[in-house]
Amino acid sequence: DHLTGMVRILPISSQDTSKNNKHCCCLLDEIPDGKKLHETLSDFFSNDESEGLAINGIYRDDDDSIHVRVSVPEIQSLTALRDKILVDDQDSLAKLTESLRKLSPGIDPIRLDRTAIANLYEKMILCLEHLTKHQGVKMRKIQGRIRIEGAAGTGKTF
């Protein structure tokens, strides 16, 4: 019943401490301990609104970016994921970078593919077939025509 999609983390720059120069690389090369990387990314993507969101895999792409396969149980978690990446981008990514620097001190700030996130959100939102509990209660009260208004992310789409 969960929606599944990919979050793309772009290639990073890293400081080669032995040669004192920067090079472009994959995050998986800098943090080869997959379990610690998984835990750090899970902590980043989790919050009170994204309960149940899970990381199912971390994959390398040909361009040294990585794809994080996420499973989203409901609209609230999907909206929280979207907001964390598209709205709270700088602050959240700074915290993620600091967490990853504890595992590999030389890495530069993490960058996410924001277009891929927007496309993921659109794809997932269009897959929703069931009303939330709140929407179901409101739907049963409706008689006749209605007009639904609300801010983005408030659950109007059903």
Side-chain angles (χ1 to χ4, degrees), residues 135-148 158:
Q135 290 170 333
V137 169
K138 296 299 178 186
M139 186 69 170
R140 286 187 285 282
K141 291 181 181 179
I142 295 173
Q143 294 179 356
R145 295 178 53 118
I146 62 160
R147 177 180 169 148
I148 300 174
F158 61 89

Side-chain angles (χ1 to χ4, degrees), residues 1 16 29 37 42 71 112 123 157:
D1 287 3
D16 183 344
D29 291 335
L37 179 59
S42 291
S71 176
L112 297 174
K123 177 184 145 207
T157 307

Side-chain angles (χ1 to χ4, degrees), residues 101-112:
R101 282 184 178 152
K102 292 175 184 171
L103 304 174
S104 178
I107 65 171
D108 275 355
I110 300 300
R111 298 175 302 127
L112 297 174

Side-chain angles (χ1 to χ4, degrees), residues 12 14 25-41 58 60 66 96-107 110:
I12 61 169
S14 181
C25 62
C26 180
L27 187 59
L28 290 172
D29 291 335
E30 291 299 305
I31 306 173
D33 185 339
K35 184 176 181 180
K36 288 186 179 181
L37 179 59
H38 184 277
E39 288 171 2
T40 303
L41 291 174
I58 302 171
R60 176 194 302 263
I66 63 170
L96 174 60
T97 298
E98 288 308 311
S99 296
L100 292 171
R101 282 184 178 152
K102 292 175 184 171
L103 304 174
S104 178
I107 65 171
I110 300 300

Side-chain angles (χ1 to χ4, degrees), residues 68-81:
V68 180
R69 187 177 176 92
V70 295
S71 176
V72 182
E74 54 164 16
I75 185 70
Q76 257 183 317
S77 298
L78 178 59
T79 302
L81 176 65

